[in-house]
Amino acid sequence: MVSSGCERVLVANRGEIARRVMHTCRTLGIETVAVFSDADTDAPFVVEADIAVRLPGEAAADTYLRGDRIVDAAKSSGADAIHPGYGFLSENAEFAQAVLDAGLTWIGPDPKTIEQMGSKVRAKEIMSAAGVPVLTAESGRYPMLVKASAGGGGRGMRVVDGPAELDSAIAAAEAEAEAAFGDGTVFVEPYLPTARHIEVQVLADRHGTCWVLGERDCSIQRRHQKVVEETPAPGISDDVRTRLRDAARAAVAAVDYVGAGTVEFLVKDEVVSFLEMNTRLQVEHPVTECVWGVDLVELQIAVAEDRALSSRFGPKGPVSSGETGRSGPNLGDGHAIEVRVYAEDPADDWRAQTGTVRAFEFAADTRFEVPRSYGVRVDSAVEPGSEIGIHYDPMLAKVVAWAPDRGQTIRMLRGALRHARVHGVRTNLELLGAILSDDDFVTGRVHTRLLDDRLEQWTEPRRSSGELHRYAVAAALVQAHSAHGAARVQSRIPAAYRNVPSQSRTRTYVIGDESIEIAYASERGRFVVDGVEVVHVDEHGVRLRHNGVRESYDVTVDGDAVYVDGPTGPLDLRTVPRFTDPAETVAEGSLLAATPASVAVVAVATGDEVQKGQTVVVLEAMKMQHTVSAPTDGVVAAIEVAAEQQVEAGAVLAVIDEHVPEGERT
């Protein structure tokens, strides 16, 4: 039974993790308080909380990173505890101490431990002294990695292939680390591009119990940020598995760790090396929850209330937990894999996407909790109608499959992604499907450079031209059917009815960068399209027959946007208008913002000569920077933006006049 220690918990976070923590709190009978920025006013996590407190502003620096405002919100709302989630202030020792100083319960490790592990330099020193194997750099050996001592998420990291790059890489990493974490300290370690990134989940109380809840492989990463995580780690020996868990337990003992945490390692050629310790809940915690039968948020709360870990707090059966000899959870059941669904375009330098989520549906067995049996779990930040802006991380959801073995888990997860309905913003769903189908991934031959090495292959169009054509046919026929139904004249006559064959009509669509024109005609009440038989059309969808195979397509029309769900998953199309508004044209040579963003850097001035590929403007959206480069040699005719300015998608950033060498002018 939950004690009176936590009766009303404020979640100092947003999005998916705020919803996740609140889900467990509701199960335990604990009231919840949300804090929200102006950009999140109508977000699902705000609506679902019992109480919500506004943090004025939109940027994280003015809201979710303001510890003083969050503590004030806890006091004004009557909260008696704060759960930090992950990211933002979750590993900020000063914030943790401020929570305790305010007389509130901090659902996390001790501030001193957070401070020790918050500096990666200090953390390595402590672990080395405790006998935990640590990766150390050797002078003159390349490649190496320049890395921020504070923070994470891939910020403040630079790979250096040779001595000529070292000074500039250090300077760039220091600047990025200072901007992201307020601490420009960096250090250097060997870069192991084909190593495995494997982490161990730990949980410890103040009564001498330490649980080691298996390991997770997190090797599939983009820009040092995880994309796919799974447990148990495939393809490692029992000896490596034992050394990982023993090293994690030693790390816990070295800092008297309390609460849920993760000890991260690199594994290369059976050599295990400490990477860092995350003093918080991890994004990928659901895979551990599925396999080990625990609710880590519930256990975090139990530890914060100074209760001893016990088998009645979630784990399914007792085993020895090593040195303590106390009871702990069972050895794990089956295999679980999580993928992160992002609003981004992997084929376009991971460009973050913005817009309104029009549909967001997964066939999930549960949301925010472990399925009763094997199945699919979805932890999501959004619902249909949610706005995706520029201020925060672009992760939309985590989709988790749990099955008796890894092969079945991969198949189950592929099916969940294939049948998802996600529309309104471009996502990485197709990339995730390609990863799960790759031979090396399927056989467990993974490493931290695999995604970079296969990116071009994994982002190749997954649909053939014929498949895209049938999606566009479905869109065109539903729009034609709906247009006829809306007509005032002859609306009772079937949409495709003609006494004699009609001349073809056309509709044109844009799918990504590709334009597709669909020609259709009507004959005696039926639509006719070359290359495919039209079986049925109504306002909701189309059934087509192609080479003897019937396919069903569900279609939703939203202005110029058309959302189609077909045999190979969701697809967004845009209708090309028959006539173009002259006001929508822009000057030749204009560089446009692909998404709403903040201008981080203007690298040139009007009148400057630039070369093709030279940086003109750097934009920042969703914590990621995107470089806008000159498409050709030329002269900067105009700069239309300034640093720190907010711009909308399609805004003109600069105009480049193509440069003609003086000797070739006429």
Side-chain angles (χ1 to χ4, degrees):
M1 180 176 179
V2 175
S3 72
S4 60
C6 295
E7 295 295 333
R8 181 176 291 177
V9 172
L10 181 146
V11 183
N13 219 295
R14 63 176 302 279
E16 166 269 326
I17 186 55
R19 300 181 82 185
R20 163 70 188 92
V21 173
M22 291 176 188
H23 179 88
T24 288
C25 287
R26 283 193 297 272
T27 301
L28 298 175
I30 299 172
E31 294 180 311
T32 58
V33 181
V35 288
F36 65 95
S37 70
D38 292 339
D40 280 335
T41 299
D42 299 316
F45 78 94
V46 180
V47 175
E48 293 167 357
D50 294 308
I51 300 171
V53 180
R54 174 178 174 248
L55 302 176
E58 293 187 329
D62 300 323
T63 54
Y64 300 108
L65 291 173
R66 284 288 300 272
D68 56 338
R69 288 185 174 182
I70 291 173
V71 171
D72 287 344
K75 292 178 179 178
S76 65
S77 64
D80 51 35
I82 290 182
H83 192 299
Y86 47 67
F88 292 138
L89 295 172
S90 62
E91 294 180 281
N92 186 303
E94 291 184 4
F95 175 62
Q97 189 60 55
V99 171
L100 295 174
D101 291 343
L104 305 171
T105 297
W106 168 249
I107 304 176
D110 294 337
K112 179 182 176 181
T113 305
I114 296 174
E115 183 178 14
Q116 288 176 314
M117 295 296 99
S119 165
K120 294 181 177 65
V121 173
R122 177 66 177 140
K124 288 195 171 190
E125 293 172 349
I126 293 172
M127 293 302 142
S128 179
V132 177
V134 172
L135 195 65
T136 57
E138 296 181 25
S139 178
R141 293 198 63 176
Y142 293 90
M144 61 177 58
L145 185 66
V146 179
K147 193 171 182 180
S149 180
R155 304 299 295 271
M157 282 188 180
R158 295 292 186 277
V159 176
V160 181
D161 292 317
E165 305 171 15
L166 184 58
D167 289 344
S168 61
I170 290 175
E174 286 176 339
E176 189 172 58
E178 179 66 36
F181 315 121
D183 182 352
T185 305
V186 300
F187 65 99
V188 175
E189 67 182 15
Y191 178 55
L192 307 177
T194 58
R196 302 273 294 275
H197 185 151
I198 300 178
E199 61 190 27
V200 179
Q201 177 70 57
V202 296
L203 185 70
D205 62 20
R206 298 185 186 278
H207 302 274
T209 299
C210 172
W211 286 349
V212 177
L213 303 178
E215 79 290 332
R216 299 184 289 250
D217 188 293
C218 307
S219 299
I220 303 297
Q221 305 178 0
R222 59 104 161 97
R223 292 182 170 176
H224 307 290
Q225 293 180 316
K226 303 162 188 174
V227 177
V228 182
E229 303 103 343
E230 61 181 302
T231 189
I236 63 173
S237 67
D238 290 341
D239 176 61
V240 168
R241 204 179 307 276
T242 298
R243 284 188 279 129
L244 283 166
R245 298 183 184 188
D246 288 347
R249 185 173 286 109
V252 168
V255 292
D256 295 323
Y257 194 83
V258 173
T262 303
V263 189
E264 303 199 352
F265 300 90
L266 288 179
V267 179
K268 172 71 171 175
D269 299 329
E270 300 262 314
V271 176
V272 173
S273 302
F274 172 81
L275 190 60
E276 62 187 18
M277 187 173 190
N278 296 125
T279 53
R280 55 173 168 80
L281 200 65
Q282 290 278 82
V283 178
E284 55 273 20
H285 74 273
V287 295
T288 296
E289 292 186 325
C290 287
V291 169
W292 290 81
V294 297
D295 182 330
L296 288 172
V297 175
E298 178 185 356
L299 294 172
Q300 283 185 299
I301 294 171
V303 170
E305 294 175 329
D306 201 23
R307 290 184 285 161
L309 290 172
S310 164
S311 60
R312 69 177 180 271
F313 292 136
K316 295 178 285 189
V319 298
S320 170
S321 63
E323 298 165 0
T324 65
R326 295 178 181 270
S327 63
N330 70 358
L331 290 173
D333 179 14
H335 198 100
I337 303 176
E338 170 185 296
V339 294
R340 304 187 190 186
V341 180
Y342 285 100
E344 65 184 9
D345 185 355
D348 187 15
D349 194 30
W350 306 102
R351 190 177 300 278
Q353 305 294 299
T354 59
T356 302
V357 177
R358 298 301 183 186
F360 198 82
E361 298 177 14
F362 288 86
D365 297 282
T366 60
R367 303 187 71 182
F368 304 107
E369 65 182 14
V370 178
R372 290 185 178 274
S373 184
Y374 301 119
V376 174
R377 164 180 172 172
V378 175
D379 290 10
S380 66
V382 302
E383 299 288 350
S386 293
E387 293 290 333
I388 308 302
I390 66 172
H391 298 289
Y392 313 116
D393 187 274
M395 190 175 75
L396 303 178
K398 305 179 307 197
V399 183
V400 184
W402 173 40
D405 60 52
R406 189 170 185 267
Q408 292 180 73
T409 302
I410 292 173
R411 183 174 63 191
M412 184 185 294
L413 188 51
R414 282 200 304 246
L417 299 182
R418 185 170 60 251
H419 294 109
R421 291 189 68 245
V422 181
H423 294 293
V425 292
R426 186 171 297 182
T427 71
N428 64 337
L429 278 174
E430 290 192 11
L431 169 72
L432 297 174
I435 293 171
L436 296 173
S437 301
D438 184 86
D439 288 343
D440 279 340
F441 180 83
V442 170
T443 55
R445 299 192 301 268
V446 294
H447 55 78
T448 55
R449 273 203 57 86
L450 186 61
L451 192 153
D452 289 336
D453 292 345
R454 299 286 170 82
L455 182 60
E456 184 174 351
Q457 175 184 333
W458 286 348
T459 54
E460 288 177 352
R462 312 308 294 179
R463 296 180 176 94
S464 67
S465 58
E467 289 173 321
L468 290 176
H469 179 264
R470 294 195 292 278
Y471 270 80
V473 166
L477 298 187
V478 167
Q479 284 192 296
H481 181 279
S482 299
H484 177 83
R488 295 183 179 181
V489 180
Q490 296 182 329
S491 60
R492 295 184 180 181
I493 300 175
Y497 186 83
R498 295 290 187 280
N499 283 321
V500 294
S502 67
Q503 292 185 343
S504 293
R505 301 181 180 184
T506 62
R507 290 179 184 268
T508 303
Y509 299 93
V510 172
I511 306 173
D513 296 327
E514 185 173 353
S515 177
I516 297 179
E517 183 177 87
I518 300 300
Y520 60 94
S522 56
E523 181 177 351
R524 298 189 180 279
R526 298 180 66 87
F527 284 109
V528 178
V529 181
D530 287 343
V532 65
E533 179 184 350
V534 181
V535 178
H536 175 78
V537 179
D538 60 31
E539 65 271 23
H540 302 298
V542 172
R543 291 197 297 274
L544 305 175
R545 185 178 289 114
H546 174 69
N547 291 337
V549 177
R550 181 184 287 190
E551 299 175 341
S552 296
Y553 297 83
D554 296 326
V555 180
T556 303
V557 180
D558 183 9
D560 289 339
V562 186
Y563 309 127
V564 184
D565 294 283
T568 57
L571 186 67
D572 289 4
L573 300 87
R574 182 171 58 83
T575 306
V576 177
R578 294 178 61 189
F579 304 102
T580 302
D581 185 347
E584 295 180 356
T585 60
V586 297
E588 183 179 354
S590 295
L591 305 184
L592 308 181
T595 64
S598 173
V599 178
V601 177
V602 177
V604 297
T606 301
D608 286 355
E609 291 194 8
V610 293
Q611 296 180 332
K612 180 179 179 180
Q614 182 177 337
T615 298
V616 177
V617 174
V618 178
L619 300 178
E620 184 165 324
M622 298 182 182
K623 302 197 302 183
M624 298 179 68
Q625 291 191 340
H626 304 280
T627 299
V628 180
S629 304
T632 183
D633 293 351
V635 175
V636 180
I639 292 291
E640 303 291 350
V641 294
E644 300 185 5
Q645 179 180 336
Q646 300 291 319
V647 295
E648 296 298 321
V652 177
L653 306 173
V655 179
I656 306 296
D657 280 346
E658 185 174 351
H659 180 64
V660 179
E662 186 173 348
E664 298 179 14
R665 294 175 183 170
T666 58

